[in-house]
Amino acid sequence: MSNTTTGKTPTGKTPKGKTPKGKTPTDKSTGRSPTDKTPTDKSTGDDQDLGAAGSQLSTAPKEEAPNLPSLGVIGWARWFWRQLTSMRVALLLLLLLSLGAIPGSLIPQDGVDAVKVEEFRDNHDVLGPVYDKLGLFHVYSSVWFSAIYILLFVSLIGCIVPRTWQFVGQLRGRPPRAPRRLDRLPAYTTWRTGAEPEEVREAALKLLKKRRFRADADAAGDAVAAEKGYLREVGNLAFHIALIVMLIAFAWGQLFKYEGNKLILEGDGFSNTLTQYDDFKSGNLFDAAHDLAPFSFTLKDFHGTYEATGPNRGTPRVYETKVTYSEGADGAEKTKTIEVNKPLDIDGSKVYLVSHGYAPILTVKDAKGDVVMDKQAVALLPLDANVTSSGAVKVMDGYRNAKGEKEQLGFNAFFLPTYGGKGSTMLSSFPALINPMLALSAYHGDLGVDAGIPQSIYQLDKTNLEEFKGSDGKLFKQQLKVGDTMTLPNGAGSVTFNGVQEWAGFQVTQQPGSGWALGGAVIAILGLAGSLFIRRRRVWVRAVRGADGVTVVEMAGLGRSESAKVPEELGDLAGDLYDQTPEAPDEPDAPENDDTPDSPDTHVVPAEGSEKK
């Protein structure tokens, strides 16, 4: 195999996978071989030829300097559209969207916790009004966040649509013709062979197609052009399209979602109507009157077991509820066990088990001994992992004091499912019901429930309440075990702790578009991986008959970016093609002639297009 410039033709066959001439194809990023005698002039025609060979390795839109119109609305609209659909603006909008989401995570939001928002307004007289004007208490539905969101959406579509059409055009077109000077490409090799040029080109075409190149004979008829790595651009486009899908899915989900919470005692039921929820929030386009899925269910039993020993003591091992449910007004009743992260799915709505607690069962009598609350379970809210619970007991109707006057009773309640005994802290030591204890402190007067102002059922409004006083003149309170009775001072009545009932907290949600968002996220990751790790490259093989009648084979490769793998791949391809078109034998040495001057035992392969003289 001979060097294109100088040197004798070596005998023997290049090992498979090695580059002809026994060296790696020249990497033009580090320079040519010192023995290379090829002229270094770069004509304008050659530069244009190489530019055409490397064109369209990417479908990224060409960045042009803005040509600001002097007059006209249409001209300004075109300029604005070009700026909006540029990649720079798309990245800037994506950054602004990320920065805009930060206040939504740090500042209380109306749609998540309205109580905390009111507390923030009360505690911050200066920042509260400012945040209101900026829409920071409802970031994701604010005008400025929606503007960024919509502009990003339009920008991505404006970037992707022309880029997709350009890519489709590339797929339908033929690989670009081979440059006139292949030896000026970053990866290049050559050798001489005794095979005919047509045989070499046919072998090269089959080889490249076998290696999954998109290959075709050059229009000039003396070369084969091939390209590979289109999945890189497919991944790039898939990534951007997936972003659009995710944006649409998130927007759809926010507009039409709903979420409600309900605390249900064992044996009680729930119907999916707005009035049944303890709290409820929904998207702006959700219509609770028509869009709530019709279903109902009854909580039959809550079952929980906990680790009794070891470092994980108190950790739930089994945490599940058994419910019976029916779809629609006349649906058949079915049984389902709901576990954590295993919700009940009914007509697009999911019912999750989110919490559990206890409800002491109380009987309250007035001063005459008449029952005003008969074995009613009062749900208390957990305070810690061991279900230490607190809440309020409110007797609103039917109570009369020792003077026969109508009053209302209120009790602050503190419940421990496992009490450590006298002298221990007022905290439960285990979440299961082992040694339940209820502590009550008593008040009488006006609970404020008739004023028309909403209030929490788990807290007492003590504004118009008076404390029951004990014999020591302090607030009257008492610890009760199951079966104990607390007698109120001055014959005001009594409270009996009859037992404990369990409750479960459920969250009912409907999040449309979540499947599309998940699919978009998966496609975005796969597309990004493809665009990062797949290399776009092109290979040309030229086979022409030299001036001495021997076929000269040239191979060159070009990648979208500098990479050592392009010369390696070209060397591998050249080794396979060389096996099918081996090097031509050396020419015999010329006989000695005393009449001619001595000359080096070398030969030069004429440049393409040169003539014999």
Side-chain angles (χ1 to χ4, degrees), residues 23-36 40 183-188 562:
K23 63 178 183 178
T24 303
T26 306
D27 189 339
K28 298 304 175 63
S29 63
T30 58
R32 295 176 61 86
S33 170
T35 62
D36 193 347
T40 59
D183 58 341
R184 293 180 59 185
L185 294 180
Y188 172 78
E562 294 294 334

Side-chain angles (χ1 to χ4, degrees), residues 433-449:
L433 282 173
I434 298 177
N435 183 27
M437 186 274 289
L438 176 66
L440 296 175
S441 54
Y443 300 83
H444 65 98
D446 184 7
L447 293 172
V449 295

Side-chain angles (χ1 to χ4, degrees), residues 342-522:
K342 293 183 179 180
L344 170 63
D345 194 340
I346 307 176
D347 195 18
S349 297
K350 294 184 178 181
V351 182
Y352 291 90
L353 172 64
V354 295
S355 58
H356 161 257
Y358 298 102
I361 301 173
L362 303 176
T363 297
V364 180
K365 297 180 180 180
D366 64 7
K368 293 183 177 181
D370 295 333
V371 176
V372 294
M373 177 185 288
D374 187 17
K375 295 183 179 179
Q376 183 174 327
V378 180
L380 305 180
L381 297 181
L383 300 177
D384 56 26
N386 287 326
V387 203
T388 302
S389 306
S390 69
V393 180
K394 300 179 181 182
V395 181
M396 296 175 284
D397 299 312
Y399 174 78
R400 292 180 180 271
N401 60 20
K403 298 179 181 180
E405 300 172 344
K406 289 185 177 181
E407 274 191 323
Q408 294 175 330
L409 296 179
F411 302 89
N412 274 332
F414 203 76
F415 177 75
L416 281 66
T418 301
Y419 178 49
K422 188 175 181 179
S424 64
T425 60
M426 288 294 291
L427 294 173
S428 177
S429 58
F430 198 72
L433 282 173
I434 298 177
N435 183 27
M437 186 274 289
L438 176 66
L440 296 175
S441 54
Y443 300 83
H444 65 98
D446 184 7
L447 293 172
V449 295
D450 299 326
I453 301 175
Q455 61 176 245
S456 172
I457 63 173
Y458 303 105
Q459 293 179 337
L460 286 180
D461 181 1
K462 301 177 184 176
T463 305
N464 298 313
L465 291 178
E466 296 181 14
E467 298 177 350
F468 278 106
K469 300 293 184 179
S471 57
D472 55 359
K474 296 181 180 180
L475 173 65
F476 181 72
K477 53 188 177 182
Q478 186 174 338
Q479 295 180 0
L480 305 175
K481 292 186 177 182
V482 176
D484 289 350
T485 298
M486 180 175 75
T487 301
L488 298 176
N490 303 320
S494 64
V495 180
T496 302
F497 179 24
N498 299 301
V500 181
Q501 188 173 354
E502 296 186 75
W503 59 260
F506 296 91
Q507 184 178 81
V508 184
T509 65
Q510 179 177 289
Q511 187 77 33
S514 56
W516 285 96
L518 176 60
V522 173

Side-chain angles (χ1 to χ4, degrees), residues 192-231:
R192 293 154 49 91
T193 179
E196 294 296 324
E198 294 78 6
E199 296 177 5
V200 176
R201 291 193 291 269
E202 184 178 353
L205 188 63
K206 292 181 179 179
L207 173 63
L208 290 169
K209 287 184 176 180
K210 184 179 179 181
R211 294 292 188 92
R212 298 191 301 277
F213 278 83
R214 196 165 69 97
D216 196 7
D218 200 318
D222 63 350
V224 173
E227 53 189 347
K228 192 177 184 181
Y230 272 89
L231 284 178

Side-chain angles (χ1 to χ4, degrees), residues 60-82:
K62 296 180 180 179
E63 297 289 344
E64 298 179 358
N67 184 16
L68 299 180
S70 57
L71 292 172
V73 176
I74 296 178
W76 279 105
R78 285 180 178 175
W79 177 84
F80 178 77
W81 176 254
R82 288 177 181 175

